[in-house]
Amino acid sequence: MTVLAHHTTASNGDEELTRDALAVLQPGFEGTTAPAWLLRQVGEGLTAVGLFGRNIASAEQLAALTAQLRAERDDVLVAIDEEGGDVTRLEVRAGSSFPGNLALGAVDDTALTREVARELGRRLAECGVNLNWAPSADVNSNPDNPVIGVRSFGADTHLAARHTAAYVEGLQAAGVAACTKHFPGHGDTSVDSHHALPRIDVDLDTLAARELVPFKAAMEAGTKAVMSAHILVPALDPTRPATLSPQILTGLLRGELGYEGLIVTDGMEMNAIAGTYGIERGSVLAIAAGADAICVGGGLADEATVLRLRDALVTAVREGTLAEERLADAAARVRALAEWTRRARPDARQEGSRASGIGLEAARRALVVTGGAKPLTAPYVATLAPVANIAVGDETPWGVAAELASLLPGTEAGVYPQGAAAADVLAAAGDRPVVAVVRDAHRHPWMTRVLDALVAARPDTVVVEMGLPRAEPRGALHIATHGASRVCGRAAAEVIAGA
């Protein structure tokens, strides 16, 4: 148990109050080096910084960036959203060397999940990153969920629970704190909280038996942080989303479940909060509700944002709308985690077991292959591309075209957005064999129409599903990869090429 310093309601003084307000913020910034304003704020009390794809050019550059930050504060928390699989920041421009949660759940080998997470953690630690906003413990009970999908270990509660625990253990064995998300569970939503406020209308018994089980497993595994979800759960709180709800964060997570670690909010600039409460008021309400750290910076990444939020928290304390003791306790939890990461910092030279190949091994094991086809010569790869999930981002490449081209010289490719027709693909392919690549075809009727027409016209079509495999297999060869990371594409390309 972490024993936190207890603060009375007496004033800590303006300087301590300001430092506490800075300590609970996890802002982002622009650029691949730390700007002067960020270093200044770290020196004045900012205890955590969030990294995104825009901040990373290479492992060497990232290590230099984190060293810059630690020159100002040795125990600074450097956080990142590195789930592996579809959501990667370390390899945002090339695609991840690791499959994501759905692929690991499809294999259902907890030792493999633990090993993948440990190797991912080792790479993060080597670059100086010590807090990972992962894993997703959401049970993907709604297959039409627009934001979770392959980021979940699966739709089975107990499978999700055992792999969440294994992931937490593996990541933290490498000295990187896990942040299990999105409490109390984002899997049964049909709305993306980046755009609007989702709502889950289930009873308490269902929540206890489904959503909460993986979070309990994560807590038993010792997760150092839990991230709240911007979702409305009327059975728990009919008026406020989980991030702003005392009933959910303090009553349920702290009280009933007994969780004592850090509670981090999801990104406060997401429209579920920013579009309803605003980030200043939302941040005050989140801390008052029981959150300890405010994640902001995915879209707002400047000093003005940090100062606005700092001042909003200080003003709320002075006006009596936020208890000074609550803010001080939140800041103490942040500092306690920072101290844990400083003490847990591993030797960056440690070697992960089978480090260079564990991701590809896992991706190969996750494949489900139906049918068969003769080896292809100079195929045409048609990628039917949906609008990018904002959590994934549209800058990370996906598919099989590049990997297949490395195995089969003469491969050509095209990308087809909504509105394209099978005739467009066939015209571009000519006499070449067609490889059709899709992502969550069950959620996009236009993809299904194009696939049906392609297979009808060319029964030898190879189909690769890189999202949630819900539709019936079709084509001469159907490959479900359970994710769209680079290694998932490589594993599928090997099968297509007969490698």
Side-chain angles (χ1 to χ4, degrees):
M1 177 187 298
T2 300
V3 179
L4 302 176
H6 183 73
H7 296 258
T8 68
T9 54
S11 173
N12 292 326
D14 289 347
E15 183 178 346
E16 187 171 350
L17 179 58
T18 300
R19 291 183 70 84
D20 284 348
L22 279 173
V24 302
L25 303 179
Q26 294 188 352
F29 61 96
E30 299 284 349
T32 53
T33 59
W37 71 261
L38 183 64
L39 296 175
R40 181 170 58 251
Q41 294 303 326
V42 169
E44 292 181 4
L46 188 68
T47 310
V49 173
L51 299 180
F52 298 85
R54 63 179 179 243
N55 305 122
I56 300 169
S58 68
E60 295 75 19
Q61 167 269 324
L62 179 54
L65 169 58
T66 59
Q68 252 191 305
L69 294 167
R70 292 210 165 83
E72 289 292 330
R73 182 186 183 113
D74 182 57
D75 65 346
V76 67
L77 287 168
V78 181
I80 199 169
D81 194 2
E82 182 61 44
E83 299 176 13
D86 291 28
V87 180
T88 179
R89 311 304 179 215
L90 279 183
E91 300 179 276
V92 66
R93 292 168 184 82
S96 181
S97 299
F98 302 92
N101 285 2
L102 188 67
L104 295 172
V107 178
D108 196 13
D109 178 345
T110 54
L112 178 67
T113 295
R114 190 175 295 106
E115 192 170 356
V116 166
R118 186 178 186 277
E119 173 57 17
L120 178 59
R122 187 191 68 82
R123 295 190 191 185
L124 289 172
E126 194 172 49
C127 295
V129 177
N130 55 12
L131 172 59
N132 192 8
W133 294 319
S136 169
D138 307 297
V139 179
N140 199 55
S141 53
N142 183 349
D144 292 326
N145 193 314
V147 67
I148 302 301
V150 298
R151 300 168 66 198
S152 165
F153 288 109
D156 180 272
T157 297
H158 297 289
L159 178 145
R162 60 181 174 265
H163 286 278
T164 296
Y167 195 105
V168 167
E169 291 165 354
L171 192 64
Q172 293 186 170
V176 176
C179 183
T180 305
K181 61 189 182 185
H182 307 79
F183 187 83
H186 210 312
D188 193 19
T189 59
S190 57
V191 172
D192 186 343
S193 51
H194 290 87
H195 302 301
L197 180 61
R199 177 186 178 106
I200 296 182
D201 284 305
V202 297
D203 57 34
L204 291 174
D205 288 343
T206 301
L207 285 168
R210 187 178 66 186
E211 270 74 19
L212 298 184
V213 174
F215 289 97
K216 291 179 180 178
M219 293 173 208
E220 290 170 2
T223 187
K224 294 296 179 180
V226 168
M227 178 176 283
S228 65
H230 302 332
I231 57 174
L232 190 67
V233 188
L236 297 172
D237 187 332
T239 59
R240 288 189 179 177
T243 295
L244 312 182
S245 171
Q247 294 95 310
I248 295 175
L249 298 188
T250 300
L252 175 60
L253 184 52
R254 291 274 187 233
E256 293 183 36
L257 300 182
Y259 179 64
E260 297 180 351
L262 191 74
I263 300 177
V264 183
T265 72
D266 206 345
M268 296 300 284
E269 69 271 39
M270 292 163 62
N271 211 42
I273 300 297
T276 52
Y277 294 87
I279 63 167
E280 292 97 333
R281 181 172 177 240
S283 296
V284 171
L285 291 173
I287 297 295
D292 305 304
I294 301 296
C295 177
V296 66
L300 300 169
D302 53 31
E303 187 171 24
T305 297
V306 173
L307 297 180
R308 280 165 53 204
L309 296 181
R310 179 201 68 183
D311 292 347
L313 292 166
V314 169
T315 298
V317 170
R318 288 173 176 163
E319 293 179 347
T321 55
L322 174 61
E324 186 174 349
E325 184 180 35
R326 171 79 276 274
L327 178 61
D329 284 346
R333 289 181 190 276
V334 174
R335 293 175 187 130
L337 180 58
E339 175 60 19
W340 178 86
T341 62
R342 189 187 65 80
R343 288 186 283 105
R345 196 175 301 164
D347 184 346
R349 296 168 298 178
Q350 65 173 315
E351 292 297 329
S353 174
R354 292 178 290 156
S356 62
I358 188 64
L360 181 56
E361 175 190 330
R364 287 168 175 158
R365 291 178 61 185
L367 296 181
V368 174
V369 180
T370 306
K374 62 182 181 181
L376 304 184
T377 302
Y380 182 78
V381 181
T383 302
L384 309 185
V387 175
N389 177 329
I390 194 170
V392 174
D394 57 9
E395 69 269 44
T396 303
W398 66 280
V400 303
E403 297 295 338
L404 194 56
S406 71
L407 298 173
L408 295 178
T411 297
E412 293 189 3
V415 177
Y416 297 85
Q418 184 172 355
D424 301 324
V425 176
L426 293 170
D431 294 333
R432 294 169 174 269
V434 174
V435 177
V437 184
V438 297
R439 200 171 184 175
D440 291 336
H442 70 283
R443 292 184 49 240
H444 303 285
W446 69 272
M447 280 189 199
T448 300
R449 291 193 294 270
V450 173
L451 279 181
D452 286 344
L454 280 176
V455 172
R458 299 280 293 273
D460 61 344
T461 296
V462 173
V463 177
V464 182
E465 170 60 86
M466 303 196 79
L468 202 64
R470 293 281 298 177
E472 287 296 317
R474 67 193 75 199
L477 175 67
H478 185 279
I479 303 172
T481 63
H482 299 93
S485 71
R486 178 174 55 81
V487 287
C488 291
R490 178 69 185 189
E494 291 173 347
V495 172
I496 295 168

